[in-house]
Amino acid sequence: MDNWKYDAFISYSNTEEDRTWVHFTLVPELEKKYGFKLYIHHRDFIGGRDIADNIEDAIRQSRKVVGVISPDFMTSNWCCTEMQMTSTIDKNKIVFVKYRDVPSSIDVPFHVAYLLGNRTYIDYNENDLHSSKLFWKRLVKALFQID
């Protein structure tokens, strides 16, 4: 028996492109098709609380933390904070999803670069049907895995 309230906390940048993909592709697929219970900051953070406290609760209450990698994720202080907090609490919770390529010109914070360099990520490619099916299969498997 697990003691998690959520299957996964989704960490993503709040830019329009990333937010749109998370809200209209990732979340519906995982919640409606696969039945996962996700912690999403825009609907689950408690109003009036310190953001860092909300983040820590999200990490502790979730079996996994999904980092949605994009150029905007890498330049978001909050996303990088979420990854650093997760690695401090339990680095085995982190599942990286590469949603968009990150140009080499972006200065990735050291702790995030270290995590990315030492973890296998799951690559999203909606243009290739086989790759897309494989993506969902790999992500679901990663979310069910308990370390």
Side-chain angles (χ1 to χ4, degrees):
M1 181 174 147
D2 61 38
N3 57 352
W4 296 286
K5 186 174 179 180
Y6 299 93
D7 294 302
F9 168 50
I10 309 298
S11 175
Y12 61 99
S13 81
N14 205 26
T15 60
E16 185 174 349
E17 185 173 359
D18 290 4
R19 187 176 55 247
T20 298
W21 183 76
V22 167
H23 293 199
F24 297 105
T25 301
L26 183 70
V27 170
E29 185 81 8
L30 291 176
E31 289 186 334
K32 291 181 177 134
K33 185 172 182 180
Y34 295 102
F36 285 105
K37 187 170 183 183
L38 304 177
Y39 196 117
I40 311 297
H41 75 265
H42 83 277
R43 70 173 187 209
D44 297 314
F45 276 8
I46 298 169
R49 288 188 72 207
D50 187 77
I51 294 171
D53 291 340
N54 274 320
I55 292 169
E56 184 176 351
D57 284 350
I59 294 164
R60 290 190 186 281
Q61 293 177 20
S62 300
R63 182 172 11 145
K64 295 290 182 179
V65 174
V66 176
V68 179
I69 302 302
S70 71
D72 299 309
F73 180 96
M74 294 302 176
T75 58
S76 164
N77 288 333
W78 284 116
C79 291
C80 293
T81 297
E82 290 166 355
M83 292 301 101
Q84 183 156 14
M85 287 175 77
T86 304
S87 67
T88 300
I89 292 168
D90 181 355
K91 70 179 181 195
N92 292 320
K93 286 187 175 217
I94 299 172
V95 175
F96 284 119
V97 167
K98 188 175 94 175
Y99 162 59
R100 292 190 292 140
D101 288 330
V102 177
S104 59
S105 59
I106 291 182
D107 190 20
V108 178
F110 175 78
H111 64 277
V112 176
Y114 176 81
L115 290 170
L116 279 169
N118 289 288
R119 300 199 68 82
T120 302
Y121 63 85
I122 304 168
D123 200 355
Y124 177 77
N125 183 351
E126 68 181 339
N127 298 324
D128 177 357
L129 183 59
H130 175 72
S131 293
S132 180
K133 287 180 180 180
L134 183 59
F135 167 80
W136 293 111
K137 182 179 179 179
R138 291 182 70 206
L139 180 55
V140 167
K141 183 178 180 180
L143 292 180
F144 275 123
Q145 180 180 357
I146 299 175
D147 294 309

